[in-house]
Amino acid sequence: GNKAARKTDKPAAVHVPGGTRPVPKSEKTTVGVIAEEVLAYTAGRDAQLDVGLIDADCLGSAAHAWMLSRIPVTPRILSRGEAKTLIRELAKIPGEARAGTFSISLADQDVHLAVERRLTAALGDLGKRIHTARSRNDQVAVDLRLFVKRELQDTVREAAEAADAFRAFAFRHRGLPMAGRTHLQPAMPSSVGLWASSWAEGLLDGIALAMTAYDLADRCPLGSAAAYGVPLPLDRQLTSDLLGFARPFDNVLHAAQTRGLLESQVLFALGQLMLVLSRAAEDLILFSMPEFGYFRLPVAYTTGSSIMPQKRNPDVLELLRAKAAKVMSLSAMVSEIMRAAPGGYNRDVQETKEPLMEGLAVTRATLRILPGLLAGIAVDREALRRGFSPGVFATDRALELVAEGTPFRDAYHFVKAHLDELSVRSPEEAVAKKTHLGAPAGLDFARLSSRIREAAAWAKSERAASDRAAKKLWALGR
């Protein structure tokens, strides 16, 4: 009788406007029982996105385990041998993930609980002790920072390669005249070298912002737990050093509150790189139009029409413009998500992970495609020469009058009143006269090359440092 009564205690359906609906099924997870639809809603796409964080999560857990074995408490949370056992087991998981034998389920919710489940299945109670003195809050924070560091190392390297591709294009055509434009109208004598090298320098500015975002990411949040620390003598400097961070956060609440802010900072830097590339892409689209004809895009980087046999469309460059808008909008989205979030941890920040990962992936894919495209562009010298109308030389003529003693404003008005008397001059001679630093005939290619090499060397050095830290950390399990 009691059994029957218990069965009827839980309704089979709930009343909703217009009728009833079945009671949602529940799912048992590591952190409690939750309705399936609520689990799906709150977990979102973490099970898929967190595949990219498996390596970082295992590294963070290895550093945490080693630190727990070193702190002076009695009894020990972990012995030295237990920490080694955990590290050895953690070292297996990234390989299992690549082999398809380790995965993250919806019941896991995220990579952190999936790794804990895997450790517990292999090591029993020892696996259950790995989460001592930490929260998923500081776990995901350290995972994302390790992930961001590696991604930005690659982003800077790829941005340096794209900048070098613009530099090489500029150097090949350094003396080739090209009408400089303002408001898209012919303005003054310029060169292909000046045009192309401007985008190289623009990318270097974007790289500087990416490096700044990297510096902000290069701090360890482990030990902040749920944002307020724990009543144990954690050695936060040790975990920071083991993971290869520059330093730990000083304030544990701030460490937690940088979730979302870091994503916004990184996406802003990526957006600036994409902004430079988008404007360069727009120029390439315009200058490859038949009406200009300055450049011919490589066939492999254009696409055809399904109805017009003659068409070769600059789809790559058009998509680049759209992808730039996407990355910049992702930055704004993350900032807006965080705008009204109160202090401490809030689940809102979960929605900043996917924009971060997407922004990095889109930016890196774009940077990788540029060198091949630029290497294949053909330049039409005659089309460039046709862009030099008499008016392009108006300022040069005014400055000649200044050299003869005429005040500039008087020379300006004289030339303006006699524009119909101007004639086309030698574009090559006009370009050759502009020799000051940064002008068409004064481009410092050595300096530009040096800056590009410095950025590439920085990326290589930081990657080597990250690899050394990971190698030393895994070696603790031997």
Side-chain angles (χ1 to χ4, degrees), residues 50-124:
D50 282 11
V51 171
L53 301 179
I54 291 173
D55 286 43
D57 197 76
C58 291
L59 278 170
S61 292
H64 184 69
W66 189 253
M67 184 274 296
L68 289 178
S69 74
R70 297 286 299 273
I71 60 176
V73 294
T74 304
R76 290 275 184 181
I77 297 171
L78 292 175
S79 69
R80 188 69 57 86
E82 288 171 330
K84 286 177 175 287
T85 298
L86 281 165
I87 292 172
R88 284 195 297 271
E89 204 64 34
L90 285 162
K92 299 175 185 176
I93 296 175
E96 293 172 358
R98 286 185 280 274
T101 56
F102 172 82
S103 59
I104 305 167
S105 70
L106 184 59
D108 290 325
Q109 300 182 60
D110 52 42
V111 64
H112 324 300
L113 295 182
V115 168
E116 184 177 331
R117 168 181 56 77
R118 162 67 177 75
L119 293 175
T120 301
L123 304 175

Side-chain angles (χ1 to χ4, degrees), residues 102-346:
F102 172 82
S103 59
I104 305 167
S105 70
L106 184 59
D108 290 325
Q109 300 182 60
D110 52 42
V111 64
H112 324 300
L113 295 182
V115 168
E116 184 177 331
R117 168 181 56 77
R118 162 67 177 75
L119 293 175
T120 301
L123 304 175
D125 286 350
L126 181 56
K128 297 177 182 178
R129 290 155 65 187
I130 188 69
H131 201 62
T132 304
R134 72 178 177 179
S135 165
R136 283 188 291 172
N137 298 350
D138 60 347
Q139 274 189 272
V140 68
V142 79
D143 289 3
L144 285 169
R145 286 172 180 276
L146 290 170
F147 173 79
V148 161
K149 283 181 64 178
R150 287 202 166 253
E151 286 289 311
L152 286 181
Q153 290 160 8
D154 288 336
T155 300
V156 168
R157 174 179 54 79
E158 290 157 353
E161 291 168 357
D164 197 50
F166 275 113
R167 179 210 58 79
F169 186 87
F171 188 76
R172 285 197 302 273
H173 306 291
R174 56 191 178 279
L176 189 57
M178 178 183 187
R181 294 174 181 272
T182 62
H183 308 275
L184 275 180
Q185 306 303 309
M188 297 176 71
S190 183
S191 69
V192 174
L194 185 74
W195 173 84
S197 61
S198 74
W199 304 119
E201 190 165 357
L203 284 173
L204 286 169
D205 287 347
I207 285 172
L209 286 172
M211 288 180 175
T212 298
Y214 184 92
D215 289 341
L216 293 170
D218 200 14
R219 291 177 288 174
C220 185
L222 268 182
S224 61
Y228 302 102
V230 295
L232 288 169
L234 303 184
D235 189 342
R236 296 188 56 239
Q237 185 66 56
L238 175 60
T239 49
S240 178
D241 293 342
L242 289 171
L243 291 169
F245 283 103
R247 63 181 178 85
F249 277 96
D250 296 325
N251 183 296
V252 293
L253 179 57
H254 176 58
Q257 290 176 168
T258 56
R259 280 289 310 282
L261 296 181
L262 174 68
E263 289 86 333
S264 176
Q265 291 153 355
V266 172
L267 285 167
F268 178 80
L270 298 176
Q272 298 308 296
L273 285 168
M274 292 296 287
L275 182 58
V276 171
L277 296 178
S278 182
R279 296 188 69 191
E282 175 67 5
D283 271 9
L284 285 170
I285 291 170
L286 289 172
F287 294 155
S288 62
M289 292 170 57
E291 290 79 2
F292 282 92
Y294 295 172
F295 304 137
R296 288 192 302 276
L297 302 177
V299 172
Y301 289 81
T302 61
T303 61
S305 164
S306 64
I307 188 172
M308 296 170 283
Q310 85 284 7
K311 293 297 295 295
R312 298 304 305 179
N313 302 315
D315 288 10
V316 169
L317 296 170
E318 291 168 351
L319 285 169
L320 194 162
R321 290 184 309 199
K323 290 177 186 295
K326 178 184 288 187
V327 173
M328 289 185 283
S329 68
L330 290 173
S331 174
M333 177 200 300
V334 169
S335 297
E336 185 62 17
I337 288 171
M338 299 308 300
R339 178 184 57 80
Y345 175 79
N346 303 276

